């Protein structure tokens, strides 16, 4: 499953989708119309059902939060302990570091700090999505790889190719995860 906010990032989502399909994957992606709209379920519920169905969850974190459905998809993937990977715009880890002292108290609890929308970040919830992605609060050995990118074509696309190009290897790795190896 490919999960991401869409506004302003359509070309990147479409590029990743096309690459994954070219490599032989069946990709669930609401922006591309490949998430099954289950009868009787809202779009949000259908997206969360897609998270349950997928074999691998791939999330992209942009500086724009959107409606919050992507955040719920991330949380569902973490809750279900889905095999997953993430790509994060470089603004996010930078801003997380910059804002850490005002967003969290000395015990790591979220403060009341709020931020007005800017062109760099429109919601602090994006930082919370990043925390989910990296496994913030987990022991180092349980944290997940989250690849940063500033310009997708230069430093995001190579990661996608490295991770997904060798379909047999990727399938073998997923099977090993499912079998507890």
């Amino acid at each position: 499953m490919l999960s991401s906010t869409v506004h302003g990032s359509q070309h990147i989502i479409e590029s990743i989708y096309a690459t994954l399909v070219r490599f032989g994957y069946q990709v669930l992606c609401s922006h591309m119309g490949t998430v099954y709209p289950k009868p009787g379920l809202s779009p949000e519920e259908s997206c969360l059902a897609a998270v349950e169905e997928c074999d691998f969850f791939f999330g992209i974190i942009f500086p724009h939060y959107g409606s919050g459905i992507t955040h719920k998809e991330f949380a569902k993937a973490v809750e279900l302990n889905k095999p997953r990977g993430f790509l994060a715009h470089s603004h996010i880890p930078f801003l997380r570091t910059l804002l850490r002292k005002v967003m969290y108290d000395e015990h790591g609890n979220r403060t009341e700090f709020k931020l007005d929308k800017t062109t760099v970040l429109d919601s602090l919830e994006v930082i919370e999505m990043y925390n989910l992605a990296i496994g913030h609060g987990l022991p180092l050995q349980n944290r997940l790889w989250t690849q940063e990118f500033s310009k997708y074509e230069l430093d995001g696309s190579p990661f996608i190719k490295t991770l997904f190009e060798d379909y047999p290897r990727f399938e073998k790795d997923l099977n090993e995860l499912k079998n507890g190896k």
Side-chain angles (χ1 to χ4, degrees):
M1 178 171 186
L2 178 57
S3 174
S4 175
T5 56
V6 176
H7 179 73
S9 306
Q10 296 92 328
H11 68 288
I12 294 174
I13 297 163
E14 292 161 7
S15 176
I16 293 171
Y17 178 85
T19 299
L20 294 175
V21 168
R22 188 175 68 247
F23 290 157
Y25 296 91
Q26 180 183 350
V27 183
L28 301 172
C29 178
S30 61
H31 174 64
M32 300 306 295
T34 58
V35 168
Y36 178 66
K38 294 194 179 235
L41 296 184
S42 69
E44 179 180 308
E45 292 168 325
S46 291
C47 287
L48 294 174
V51 175
E52 291 180 22
E53 292 172 22
C54 75
D55 294 320
F56 186 82
F57 181 89
F58 191 77
I60 310 167
I61 309 167
F62 292 108
H64 306 290
Y65 187 66
S67 67
I69 292 174
T70 303
H71 194 167
K72 290 175 183 173
E73 291 170 349
F74 279 36
K76 186 70 158 179
V78 170
E79 172 194 326
L80 297 172
N81 198 26
K82 286 285 181 176
R84 57 195 180 274
F86 296 93
L87 193 60
H89 191 281
S90 59
H91 286 168
I92 309 307
F94 172 76
L95 290 168
R96 177 180 180 264
T97 301
L98 184 68
L99 297 172
R100 182 179 296 144
K101 290 187 186 229
V102 294
M103 281 184 69
Y104 305 98
D105 65 20
E106 63 276 0
H107 306 291
N109 300 313
R110 186 77 168 80
T111 67
E112 297 293 322
F113 177 75
K114 303 229 184 299
L115 181 73
D116 291 334
K117 284 185 179 186
T118 70
T119 56
V120 178
L121 183 71
D122 70 1
S123 172
L124 293 173
E125 291 301 312
V126 173
I127 294 172
E128 298 299 343
M129 289 172 59
Y130 182 78
N131 286 337
L132 273 173
I134 63 170
H136 179 70
L138 296 176
L140 278 177
Q141 68 270 20
N142 293 25
R143 294 198 180 178
L144 295 173
W145 188 302
T146 301
Q147 180 68 32
E148 295 178 29
F149 75 99
S150 57
K151 191 165 183 106
Y152 175 72
E153 295 77 14
L154 294 177
D155 51 3
S157 179
F159 177 70
I160 298 295
K161 185 177 178 187
T162 299
L163 183 59
F164 294 109
E165 184 175 42
D166 189 344
Y167 184 89
R169 182 183 81 188
F170 189 80
E171 187 174 47
K172 177 183 165 278
D173 289 347
L174 279 180
N175 285 330
E176 288 178 358
L177 273 175
K178 287 178 189 176
N179 296 325
K181 293 183 182 178

